[in-house]
Coordinates of all heavy atoms in Angstrom, one line a residue:
Chain A
N3 N -14.0 20.7 27.2 CA -13.9 21.1 28.5 C -14.4 20.0 29.4 O -15.6 19.5 29.4 CB -14.8 22.3 28.7 CG -14.6 22.8 30.2 OD1 -14.0 22.2 31.0 ND2 -15.1 24.1 30.4
K6 N -17.5 20.1 31.5 CA -18.8 20.3 30.8 C -19.3 19.0 30.2 O -18.5 18.3 29.6 CB -18.7 21.3 29.7 CG -19.9 21.5 28.8 CD -19.6 22.5 27.7 CE -20.8 22.6 26.7 NZ -21.0 21.4 26.1
P9 N -22.1 17.1 24.9 CA -23.5 17.0 24.2 C -23.6 15.9 23.4 O -24.8 15.3 23.2 CB -23.4 18.3 23.3 CG -22.0 18.6 23.1 CD -21.3 18.2 24.4
S112 N -19.3 15.1 11.8 CA -19.8 16.2 11.3 C -18.8 17.1 10.7 O -19.0 17.9 9.8 CB -20.6 17.0 12.3 OG -19.8 17.3 13.4
K132 N -24.0 13.2 13.5 CA -23.2 14.0 14.3 C -23.3 13.5 15.8 O -22.3 13.6 16.6 CB -23.6 15.5 14.3 CG -22.8 16.4 15.1 CD -23.1 17.8 14.9 CE -24.4 18.2 15.4 NZ -24.8 19.7 15.3
R155 N -5.4 -3.9 8.5 CA -4.6 -2.9 7.8 C -5.2 -1.4 7.9 O -6.4 -1.3 7.9 CB -4.7 -3.3 6.3 CG -4.1 -4.7 6.0 CD -4.0 -5.0 4.5 NE -3.0 -4.1 3.9 CZ -2.8 -4.0 2.6 NH1 -3.6 -4.8 1.8 NH2 -1.9 -3.3 2.1
R157 N -5.0 2.7 7.0 CA -4.4 3.7 6.2 C -4.5 5.1 6.9 O -5.4 5.5 7.5 CB -5.3 3.9 5.0 CG -5.0 5.1 4.1 CD -5.7 5.1 2.8 NE -5.5 3.8 2.0 CZ -6.2 3.3 1.1 NH1 -7.3 4.0 0.7 NH2 -5.8 2.3 0.4
K158 N -3.4 5.7 6.9 CA -3.2 6.9 7.7 C -3.8 8.0 6.8 O -3.6 8.2 5.6 CB -1.7 7.2 7.8 CG -1.4 8.4 8.7 CD 0.1 8.6 9.0 CE 0.3 9.7 10.0 NZ 1.7 9.8 10.1
Chain B
dC4 P -3.1 0.0 1.4 OP1 -3.0 -1.2 2.3 OP2 -4.3 0.6 1.2 O5' -2.0 1.1 2.0 C5' -0.6 0.8 2.1 C4' 0.1 2.1 2.2 O4' 0.0 2.8 0.9 C3' -0.4 3.1 3.3 O3' 0.6 3.1 4.4 C2' -0.5 4.4 2.6 C1' 0.2 4.2 1.3 N1 -0.4 4.9 0.2 C2 0.3 6.0 -0.4 O2 1.4 6.3 0.0 N3 -0.3 6.7 -1.4 C4 -1.5 6.4 -1.8 N4 -2.0 7.1 -2.9 C5 -2.2 5.3 -1.3 C6 -1.7 4.7 -0.3
dT5 P 0.3 4.0 5.6 OP1 1.0 3.3 6.7 OP2 -1.2 4.4 5.6 O5' 1.1 5.4 5.2 C5' 2.5 5.2 5.0 C4' 3.2 6.6 4.6 O4' 2.5 7.1 3.4 C3' 2.9 7.6 5.7 O3' 4.1 8.3 5.8 C2' 1.9 8.6 5.0 C1' 2.0 8.4 3.6 N1 0.8 8.6 2.7 C2 0.9 9.6 1.8 O2 1.9 10.3 1.6 N3 -0.3 9.8 1.0 C4 -1.4 9.0 1.2 O4 -2.4 9.2 0.4 C5 -1.4 8.0 2.2 C7 -2.6 7.1 2.4 C6 -0.3 7.8 2.9
dT6 P 4.3 9.3 7.0 OP1 5.6 9.2 7.5 OP2 3.1 9.2 7.9 O5' 4.1 10.7 6.3 C5' 4.9 10.9 5.0 C4' 4.6 12.2 4.4 O4' 3.3 12.2 3.6 C3' 4.4 13.5 5.3 O3' 5.1 14.6 5.0 C2' 2.9 13.7 5.4 C1' 2.6 13.3 3.9 N1 1.2 12.9 3.7 C2 0.5 13.3 2.6 O2 0.9 14.1 1.8 N3 -0.8 12.8 2.5 C4 -1.4 12.0 3.3 O4 -2.6 11.6 3.1 C5 -0.6 11.5 4.5 C7 -1.2 10.5 5.3 C6 0.6 11.9 4.6
dC11 P -14.6 24.6 3.8 OP1 -15.4 24.5 2.7 OP2 -14.2 26.0 4.3 O5' -15.1 23.9 5.1 C5' -15.4 22.5 5.0 C4' -15.7 21.9 6.4 O4' -14.4 21.9 7.1 C3' -16.6 22.7 7.2 O3' -17.7 21.9 7.5 C2' -15.9 23.2 8.4 C1' -14.7 22.3 8.5 N1 -13.5 22.8 9.1 C2 -12.9 22.1 10.2 O2 -13.4 21.1 10.7 N3 -11.7 22.6 10.6 C4 -11.1 23.7 10.2 N4 -10.1 24.2 10.7 C5 -11.8 24.4 9.1 C6 -12.9 23.9 8.5
dT12 P -19.0 22.5 8.2 OP1 -20.2 21.8 7.7 OP2 -18.8 23.9 8.1 O5' -18.9 22.1 9.7 C5' -18.5 20.8 10.1 C4' -18.2 20.6 11.5 O4' -16.8 21.1 11.8 C3' -19.2 21.4 12.5 O3' -19.7 20.5 13.5 C2' -18.3 22.5 13.0 C1' -16.9 21.9 13.0 N1 -15.8 23.0 12.9 C2 -14.7 22.8 13.7 O2 -14.6 22.0 14.5 N3 -13.7 23.9 13.5 C4 -13.8 24.9 12.6 O4 -12.9 25.7 12.4 C5 -14.9 24.8 11.7 C7 -15.1 25.9 10.6 C6 -15.9 23.9 11.8
dG13 P -20.8 21.0 14.3 OP1 -21.8 19.9 14.4 OP2 -21.2 22.4 14.1 O5' -20.1 21.0 15.8 C5' -19.2 20.0 16.1 C4' -18.4 20.3 17.4 O4' -17.3 21.1 17.1 C3' -19.3 21.0 18.4 O3' -19.0 20.4 19.7 C2' -18.8 22.4 18.4 C1' -17.4 22.4 17.8 N9 -17.0 23.4 17.0 C8 -17.7 24.0 16.0 N7 -17.0 25.0 15.4 C5 -15.8 25.1 16.1 C6 -14.8 25.9 15.9 O6 -14.6 26.8 15.1 N1 -13.7 25.7 16.9 C2 -13.8 24.7 17.8 N2 -12.7 24.6 18.7 N3 -14.9 23.9 18.0 C4 -15.8 24.1 17.1
dC14 P -19.8 20.8 20.9 OP1 -20.0 19.5 21.7 OP2 -21.0 21.7 20.6 O5' -18.9 21.7 21.8 C5' -17.5 21.3 21.9 C4' -16.7 22.5 22.5 O4' -16.3 23.4 21.4 C3' -17.5 23.3 23.5 O3' -16.6 23.5 24.7 C2' -17.7 24.7 22.8 C1' -16.5 24.8 21.8 N1 -16.8 25.6 20.6 C2 -15.7 26.5 20.2 O2 -14.7 26.6 20.8 N3 -16.0 27.2 19.1 C4 -17.1 27.0 18.5 N4 -17.4 27.8 17.4 C5 -18.2 26.1 18.9 C6 -17.9 25.5 20.0
dG15 P -17.3 24.0 25.9 OP1 -17.0 22.9 27.0 OP2 -18.6 24.5 25.7 O5' -16.3 25.2 26.3 C5' -14.9 25.1 26.2 C4' -14.2 26.4 26.2 O4' -14.4 27.0 24.9 C3' -14.7 27.4 27.3 O3' -13.6 28.1 27.8 C2' -15.6 28.3 26.4 C1' -15.0 28.3 25.1 N9 -15.9 28.5 24.0 C8 -17.1 27.9 23.7 N7 -17.7 28.3 22.6 C5 -16.9 29.2 22.1 C6 -17.0 30.0 20.9 O6 -17.9 29.9 20.1 N1 -15.9 30.8 20.7 C2 -14.8 30.8 21.6 N2 -13.8 31.8 21.2 N3 -14.7 30.2 22.6 C4 -15.8 29.4 22.9

Side-chain angles (χ1 to χ4, degrees):
Chain A
N3 186 346
K6 176 181 175 297
S112 58
K132 181 172 72 175
R155 299 186 68 188
R157 174 171 300 164
K158 188 175 185 178

